[in-house]
Amino acid sequence: MNRVLSSSFYKHCNRAIHQTIPKHRNETQLQTAGPVASLIKSRSVIRFRGPDTVKFLQGLLTNDIRKFGEPIGDKTANFPTPNVPTTSVTPIYAALLTPQGRFLYDLFLYKPPNSDTKLDTTGTGPASDPNQPFELFADVDASVLEELLATFTKYRLRSKVEIDNVASEFSCWQRYGSGPSDNSSDVEEPEAASVGWGAGEDGAAMSSSSEGNLGWQWFKDPRLACLGFRGIFPSNIIPPLIEADKETDEQNYLMWRIEKGVAEGSIEIPKGEAMPLEYNLVGLNAISFDKGCYVGQELIARTHHRGVIRKRLVPLRFQDNDGKEVIDKVIPGSEVVNRESGKKAGLVTTALGCRGLGLLRLEEALKGSTALSIQGQEDVKVVASKPDWWPSDWLQDLQQHTAFA
């Protein structure tokens, strides 16, 4: 049910157009390899088009997407002249839930540049297309693409919005590793924070800002700064700022996420079963508690304001009794138990090599116990850790509730 990438999948992710770096790197190697980029073949791109797009999605998704429908203010209305950056609307991470508040699909939403934010073909004035329809693009889990499209179509009713599969035209990329700064306040990749590829790739910034199907760029991942930069780009090109020897397999991006304790997609976050708050979607900026109603809102709001989250998704390491890492001995769905008490601590949801993600009871996972192991594989110890990005009040609330009980 959860993702384990096979060797055949790894080979499928290689692209002959570039020399790829070694296919399996741990976090330390990724930290020292410099910025690397991966074509995310596990994601597909869809398009919402029409005047009711924002209203339609606002009533369905967990996040507030009204900013996509707002006019660009004076502070962000910089006209794209050569070597002068412009500010675009940043992406939003959101989810679609069941009416009962269970996770279905996650989406990264992007607003493409309008024609009036690009130069015309002469490069002397703004492009103008009064008939340009309103569009939003989204990268979604490719494994549930057809089902996702059917679900959105079911909810559309009379809304003036078209929903199209444009996976053949656009691809999703992630840029991560030691290069992109975690501390940068820029929402866009600093070297590409202008229309299209930016001055770093196009000295005059002319081709990228000319009228046409251009203007795509890298953005800081809307979930966490430590995840790097994300973007969708035309499938027939290689995005900017990707060095010839720094395009790497998607499995390295998966390893990067696992180390940060971040799940993605309807396989790693079980569709129809997962509770969004247990999979840390609040901390990943996927849920707004200030917007109006959306599908599944009641349970999410009630749990957030009144409940205590006892289980959460945490990063795992698998070791033997001597503390050495064990590789490929754990599969998703394996039970994690406390050998001393015999109690079940939780489940492994994702596994890759000697790392994984697990939905565990926090009182068992983070109390520093060395007694966690895989059920039926007592020689495989499980070490859980708290990601650095977790808000401190998550554990404080649990501790206060436990002390009161």
Side-chain angles (χ1 to χ4, degrees):
M1 176 167 53
N2 292 283
R3 178 174 293 141
V4 176
L5 303 183
S6 65
S7 59
S8 61
F9 182 87
Y10 300 150
K11 294 177 182 177
H12 180 62
C13 285
N14 284 327
R15 303 185 78 214
I17 195 168
H18 283 315
Q19 174 188 358
T20 57
I21 64 177
K23 71 176 184 177
H24 188 243
R25 291 173 177 259
N26 58 32
E27 184 184 31
T28 301
Q29 291 173 316
L30 285 172
Q31 290 283 8
T32 59
V36 296
S38 297
L39 171 63
I40 311 301
K41 291 192 174 182
S42 61
R43 308 290 290 188
S44 291
V45 180
I46 64 174
R47 179 181 61 206
F48 299 93
R49 172 187 283 177
D52 292 343
T53 295
V54 171
K55 179 181 178 182
F56 170 69
L57 294 176
Q58 180 73 3
L60 294 178
L61 303 182
T62 56
N63 217 333
D64 191 341
I65 68 164
R66 288 176 293 181
K67 74 173 186 178
F68 286 137
E70 297 172 353
I72 298 179
D74 293 338
K75 294 182 180 180
T76 58
N78 300 326
F79 180 70
T81 55
N83 297 320
V84 177
T86 186
T87 302
S88 302
V89 181
T90 54
I92 292 177
Y93 184 53
L96 179 66
L97 311 180
T98 68
Q100 294 75 34
R102 304 284 178 169
F103 177 88
L104 279 178
Y105 318 110
D106 62 351
L107 304 89
F108 293 82
L109 294 158
Y110 309 81
K111 188 175 187 292
N114 294 327
S115 61
D116 58 2
T117 63
K118 295 186 290 185
L119 298 176
D120 60 19
T121 54
T122 67
T124 59
S128 178
D129 182 3
N131 298 319
Q132 181 184 24
F134 183 90
E135 294 180 330
L136 290 181
F137 288 77
D139 78 67
V140 301
D141 190 334
S143 68
V144 293
L145 176 59
E146 296 303 323
E147 178 185 320
L148 179 147
L149 290 171
T151 301
F152 276 111
T153 300
K154 177 185 68 175
Y155 280 116
R156 183 176 57 182
L157 300 177
R158 295 184 179 180
S159 297
K160 296 178 181 179
V161 55
E162 300 174 3
I163 308 165
D164 301 310
N165 176 6
V166 292
S168 61
E169 302 173 42
F170 296 93
S171 300
C172 176
W173 289 77
Q174 190 87 14
R175 189 167 181 263
Y176 55 100
S178 62
S181 173
D182 292 353
N183 300 318
S184 172
S185 61
D186 294 328
V187 294
E188 300 166 328
E189 164 61 75
E191 297 179 68
S194 62
V195 170
W197 317 141
E201 290 293 312
D202 178 1
M206 293 293 290
S207 64
S208 57
S209 58
S210 296
E211 184 179 16
N213 188 22
L214 296 170
W216 304 97
Q217 60 196 104
W218 292 105
F219 287 98
K220 182 169 286 188
D221 194 301
R223 296 167 296 180
L224 299 170
C226 62
L227 291 175
F229 294 84
R230 195 178 185 100
I232 56 173
F233 299 90
S235 298
N236 60 348
I237 60 97
I238 298 298
L241 306 176
I242 299 181
E243 300 175 20
D245 61 343
K246 293 300 177 69
E247 181 186 343
T248 182
D249 297 338
E250 185 179 353
Q251 64 160 345
N252 287 312
Y253 168 58
L254 173 57
M255 178 63 75
W256 187 256
R257 282 195 293 101
I258 286 175
E259 291 285 350
K260 310 301 182 186
V262 177
E264 181 178 297
S266 301
I267 297 178
E268 295 177 19
I269 311 175
K271 178 173 64 70
E273 301 176 10
M275 294 287 294
L277 302 191
E278 293 182 345
Y279 282 76
N280 306 324
L281 291 191
V282 173
L284 296 176
N285 300 313
I287 300 176
S288 170
F289 294 99
D290 298 322
K291 63 173 290 185
C293 296
Y294 59 86
V295 177
Q297 179 203 23
E298 183 178 355
L299 177 63
I300 300 301
R302 182 171 66 247
T303 304
H304 175 71
H305 292 295
R306 298 182 180 179
V308 174
I309 311 302
R310 299 181 180 276
K311 296 187 296 181
R312 286 192 183 274
L313 192 75
V314 295
L316 307 176
R317 295 174 181 262
F318 308 124
Q319 302 176 346
D320 61 19
N321 291 324
D322 296 325
K324 296 180 180 180
E325 295 177 339
V326 296
I327 299 175
D328 297 335
K329 286 194 174 183
V330 180
I331 62 173
S334 300
E335 288 190 1
V336 179
V337 297
N338 187 313
R339 290 175 297 180
E340 296 177 353
S341 65
K343 293 182 179 179
K344 177 181 175 181
L347 289 173
V348 176
T349 61
T350 304
L352 178 66
C354 58
R355 302 289 191 272
L357 295 171
L359 185 64
L360 304 186
R361 290 190 295 115
L362 293 180
E363 61 181 352
E364 292 287 347
L366 302 180
K367 67 180 181 181
S369 173
T370 60
L372 296 182
S373 65
I374 299 298
Q375 177 72 39
Q377 295 176 271
E378 282 69 23
D379 58 331
V380 179
K381 296 173 60 178
V382 177
V383 179
S385 58
K386 180 182 77 68
D388 295 337
W389 58 268
W390 275 22
S392 59
D393 58 356
W394 282 2
L395 295 182
Q396 291 174 358
D397 291 346
L398 178 66
Q399 292 167 353
Q400 291 173 359
H401 189 274
T402 302
F404 178 79

